[in-house]
Amino acid sequence: MSGTFVGMPAFPAAAHEAVRDATLRGNLRHATHTIRAKRAKAVAEVSDWARLREAGRRIKDHTLRHLDRYLVQVEEAVTAAGGTVHWAVDAAEANRIVAGLVRATGESEVVKVKSMATQEIGLNEALEAEGIRAYETDLAELIVQLGKDRPSHILVPAIHRNRGEIRDIFRSEMKEWGRPAPEGLTDTPAELAEAARLHLREKFLRAKVGISGANFVVAETGTLVVVESEGNGRMCLTLPETLISVVGIEKIVPTWQDLEVFLQTLPRSSTAERMNPYTSTWTGTTDGDGPSTFHLVLLDNGRTDTLADEVGRQALRCIRCSACLNVCPVYERAGGHAYGSVYPGPIGAILSPQLRGTGSAIDASLPYASSLCGACYEVCPVAIDIPEVLVHLRERVAQGGGATREGNKVVLRPARGHRAERAAMRAARLALTHPALLRGGQRLASRTRRLHPRTLPGPGRAWTGTRDLPALPAEPFRDWWQRTHGGEEGTK
């Protein structure tokens, strides 16, 4: 979506509610532990994983540094291959472009490949407002759509649902969207998959317009790449007469040789597979093969602003593998909905506040939605130092309130709710830059230590509610050192 989910509170409040849901926590614990164990095994098979990881980081950094050149190269290559390139500065413009392209075909329905970019801009809702119905065809996205739900995971959007819940959704909702669920449907995976297959098949055969994103765009040929595990994506990419792809500008890789690196690291980091069962590539249009009309919508929507931040820009390396979600202790307990964004988990905590700004309560809270344990950095296949960016964004929120995007401009706004933190940091800076003042403060604190409370009052209670304040020693270290090593001076 282009903004936060409607009615979402800031992360602490949303997480507080989520951790009380025992079913949700059970679903998340089972799923994340299973996925990360399989991923660890798949990665361990590769003897040069560290070198692949470093290669991916370097390729992404190089591309981002020269993104202007590669974007022009993509446009020229796609146009030469028979496609049409459109540029969208924000979500509203992207939605207008796509809706206009669909209307031009005379169609009132589209089939969709799983796409984070189209979720980010709220495309389904925008099309619905234009009288166009969008059908999600990825199994997990279908579950979310039928259940009138929201995605909670990058790779497995319905990770918060168990099989019984999915069966109930299919039984009650499929008939409202097309072919109903089979009579006597159970919650066995095979039956659920078959019900989805039968439901979607009629849509694949009827739809004239397909909409996709892309995992990668190869600049040297203008080729788009989609990797998947089910085959629904390939149906959407090959059967319709018109294909519209909405792709973030950061998805570019310079050459096919560069693509080779990510086709090794992405499947192992995401689905724990050696390679994706379906890797679809297409370059423009070809007579008698696939869609006869192809449109590529290159999406900015805050990415250029993110690129300008020397620390935060590394978030644009992300290849959407979701490995960071599966190892994050915060995500495992709170779930994806608490993040108020289509990008949940650690990567969402650094990407969403940069794409949307930190002016809203939810976006200002996301950099704090982490324990900074570093597990996310350890598993990232492109070496995004998520803890570093989190701390960087926390500083932005505390110091200046960050920024909000208004159209094409970034507007700085003052911080709210961090006055005490800023005052404490100023006091610490003053004391640490004046040794005499620091020494006097240490002596005063030691002499009054019996009067100190064990918990902090006011807002500090949230921190000390489960922690005791550290006890102060009877004398500062400096005084002890002078008393034991400095002769008479230590007795003064």
Side-chain angles (χ1 to χ4, degrees):
M1 291 183 176
S2 55
T4 57
F5 292 131
V6 177
M8 283 297 300
F11 182 84
H16 182 73
E17 293 300 317
V19 296
R20 295 182 175 185
D21 187 335
T23 300
L24 172 65
R25 292 187 63 175
N27 293 344
L28 289 169
R29 182 172 56 254
H30 172 74
T32 56
H33 284 222
T34 300
I35 295 172
R36 74 192 192 201
K38 290 181 177 179
R39 177 200 174 276
K41 183 177 180 181
V43 167
E45 295 178 347
V46 183
S47 59
D48 61 344
W49 181 259
R51 293 176 60 192
L52 284 171
R53 185 177 189 243
E54 177 63 14
R57 182 191 70 80
R58 289 175 177 268
I59 291 168
K60 280 290 188 176
D61 282 350
H62 166 81
T63 308
L64 292 171
R65 282 196 301 270
H66 304 284
L67 190 56
D68 54 345
R69 173 161 58 89
Y70 287 120
L71 284 169
V72 172
Q73 187 177 5
V74 166
E75 181 181 35
E76 292 174 347
V78 170
T79 303
T84 303
V85 177
H86 308 263
W87 300 84
V89 70
D90 56 20
E93 185 172 13
N95 288 333
R96 285 196 302 270
I97 292 170
V98 176
L101 293 173
V102 177
R103 284 199 308 270
T105 67
E107 296 296 317
S108 60
E109 62 180 24
V110 300
V111 289
K112 289 185 64 199
V113 185
K114 181 180 182 298
S115 164
M116 301 296 293
T118 60
Q119 290 174 6
E120 175 189 328
I121 64 176
L123 180 61
N124 287 10
E125 295 82 359
L127 292 178
E128 185 178 0
E130 297 288 337
I132 301 166
R133 198 165 203 186
Y135 296 108
E136 297 289 352
T137 63
D138 174 82
L139 176 56
E141 292 287 0
L142 174 66
I143 295 166
V144 169
Q145 186 175 53
L146 292 179
K148 301 177 180 64
D149 202 351
R150 300 187 302 269
S152 64
H153 192 276
I154 289 176
L155 182 68
V156 193
I159 195 172
H160 56 289
R161 297 289 193 182
N162 58 40
R163 293 185 305 179
E165 292 172 313
I166 296 169
R167 175 204 58 210
D168 294 341
I169 290 171
F170 281 8
R171 284 177 174 177
S172 62
E173 301 298 331
M174 270 189 169
K175 60 181 178 293
E176 301 297 328
W177 289 77
R179 180 169 179 155
E183 290 290 334
L185 177 66
T186 71
D187 64 356
T188 61
E191 287 196 29
L192 294 174
E194 181 64 13
R197 186 178 296 111
L198 293 172
H199 177 81
L200 291 171
R201 186 56 58 99
E202 64 177 26
K203 293 179 172 54
F204 289 137
L205 297 177
R206 184 177 67 236
K208 302 296 184 183
V209 180
I211 295 178
S212 81
N215 294 97
F216 306 100
V217 181
V218 183
E220 66 178 348
T221 58
T223 302
L224 277 72
V225 183
V226 163
V227 296
E228 51 157 337
S229 299
E230 300 171 11
N232 61 287
R234 183 162 295 177
M235 299 287 278
C236 294
L237 296 170
T238 57
L239 292 180
E241 297 173 359
T242 298
L243 175 61
I244 305 168
S245 299
V246 182
V247 183
I249 58 176
E250 82 281 15
K251 293 298 185 72
I252 295 175
V253 295
T255 68
W256 280 85
Q257 186 174 4
D258 297 323
L259 177 65
E260 177 189 1
V261 172
F262 301 109
L263 292 184
Q264 295 180 73
T265 56
L266 178 57
R268 290 179 186 271
S269 281
S270 56
T271 55
E273 296 170 300
R274 296 183 178 93
M275 64 180 293
N276 293 100
Y278 295 89
T279 300
S280 300
T281 66
W282 69 99
T283 308
T285 60
T286 302
D287 292 340
D289 183 11
S292 58
T293 304
F294 170 59
H295 296 274
L296 171 60
V297 181
L298 289 169
L299 176 69
D300 188 325
N301 203 39
R303 287 159 174 79
T304 299
D305 296 334
T306 304
L307 187 60
D309 187 323
E310 293 185 2
V311 176
R313 70 174 59 153
Q314 58 185 296
L316 296 179
R317 293 184 208 147
C318 178
I319 58 176
R320 310 292 192 265
C321 71
S322 76
C324 61
L325 280 70
N326 300 324
V327 299
C328 178
V330 176
Y331 174 86
E332 180 185 326
R333 288 156 179 80
H337 291 159
Y339 293 82
S341 168
V342 296
Y343 301 110
I347 187 62
I350 65 171
L351 186 59
S352 297
Q354 295 192 88
L355 296 182
R356 302 188 306 207
T358 52
S360 68
I362 182 69
D363 289 312
S365 71
L366 287 178
Y368 297 87
S370 170
S371 65
L372 299 180
C373 68
C376 49
Y377 170 65
E378 295 299 325
V379 299
C380 179
V382 286
I384 301 171
D385 193 341
I386 293 178
E388 178 188 30
V389 182
L390 286 168
V391 173
H392 172 67
L393 292 176
R394 290 180 185 185
E395 180 182 11
R396 177 190 296 181
V397 172
Q399 292 293 335
T404 56
R405 298 185 69 247
E406 294 183 0
N408 301 337
K409 297 182 179 180
V410 178
V411 180
L412 295 175
R413 299 195 183 279
R416 296 186 297 271
H418 292 274
R419 293 185 179 88
E421 182 179 352
R422 294 200 302 275
M425 291 300 103
R426 291 193 192 102
R429 181 173 60 187
L430 179 65
L432 293 172
T433 53
H434 294 79
L437 183 61
L438 176 63
R439 184 168 187 169
Q442 289 174 332
R443 286 177 170 174
L444 178 63
S446 291
R447 290 169 183 172
T448 59
R449 63 195 183 100
R450 289 185 176 84
L451 304 177
H452 296 175
R454 298 186 65 182
T455 60
L456 293 174
R461 192 178 296 112
W463 177 257
T464 57
T466 55
R467 305 170 179 85
D468 288 337
L469 287 174
L472 290 175
E475 63 179 335
F477 174 79
R478 287 185 178 190
D479 288 359
W480 173 85
W481 181 265
Q482 288 187 348
R483 180 172 55 81
T484 57
H485 295 77
E488 294 183 0
E489 183 181 355
T491 64
K492 293 180 182 179

